[in-house]
Amino acid sequence: MKDFLHIIISIIIFCPLLLFIIVYLISRKVNIRGTHAFGAASDVTTFWLFFSVPLAIGVLWGVNIGALLVMLAIMLAMVFTYIEWRTKKELEVKPLLRKIWRFLFLVLSSAYFLICLVGLIQSVVEYLRSV
C-alpha cells in the first residue's frame, strides 16, 4: 500500500495535467457545472504544481528554487491584496484568495509547460550532438 501511494504521488507530481483532467472529469460526473468543475480542478492542481515546478527545474538544471517560488507567491499575494485594497477599500478575503490562487495556477502551469518544452528541446539537442 505504501508503494502504491508513493507511485500515485509521483505520477501526480510528474504530470499535474493528468491530475487536472481527472479532477475535472470527476467534478463533471458529480454534476458540478463546467466553470466550477474547471475551477475545482485548477485549485487542486495548483497545490501540486508548487511541487512539480521546482522538481522539474531541479532535475533539468540542478537548481533548487522551492524557496524562491514561495517568496514569489507571497509577493504576488501582497500585490494582489494591495490592488484590491486600493480599488475596493474593503477586502473580501475569500474572493481575494481565490483570485490569487487562480493566478498562481496560470503562472505555475505556464511555467511547467515551458519547462517541459525547454527540457524536451534540450534533450533532443543533446541527443543530436551525441549522434
Side-chain angles (χ1 to χ4, degrees):
M1 182 66 181
K2 183 179 176 184
D3 291 335
F4 178 74
L5 186 62
H6 179 71
I7 290 169
I8 295 297
I9 291 173
S10 297
I11 290 171
I12 289 171
I13 289 175
F14 176 70
C15 188
L17 177 64
L18 183 64
L19 174 69
F20 179 84
I21 292 169
I22 290 170
V23 172
Y24 179 77
L25 293 175
I26 290 172
S27 298
R28 294 291 291 170
K29 285 288 184 192
V30 181
N31 290 331
I32 296 177
R33 289 185 305 161
T35 55
H36 291 270
F38 190 87
S42 67
D43 290 343
V44 171
T45 307
T46 303
F47 174 76
W48 291 100
L49 281 167
F50 269 104
F51 298 106
S52 298
V53 170
L55 186 63
I57 289 174
V59 166
L60 285 175
W61 298 295
V63 179
N64 186 3
I65 65 153
L68 183 65
L69 185 63
V70 170
M71 289 188 326
L72 175 71
I74 291 170
M75 290 177 67
L76 280 171
M78 290 168 54
V79 168
F80 269 74
T81 304
Y82 179 76
I83 291 170
E84 190 84 8
W85 171 70
R86 295 295 291 177
T87 57
K88 292 191 178 177
K89 298 292 184 202
E90 187 164 328
L91 293 176
E92 296 178 28
V93 176
K94 190 173 180 180
L96 175 63
L97 290 176
R98 185 176 294 127
K99 285 179 191 177
I100 294 167
W101 196 248
R102 300 276 167 86
F103 185 74
L104 286 172
F105 170 74
L106 292 175
V107 169
L108 291 172
S109 59
S110 299
Y112 185 78
F113 288 117
L114 185 66
I115 291 164
C116 288
L117 182 65
V118 169
L120 183 65
I121 291 170
Q122 183 178 349
S123 296
V124 168
V125 168
E126 286 177 9
Y127 174 76
L128 291 175
R129 270 193 208 154
S130 67
V131 171

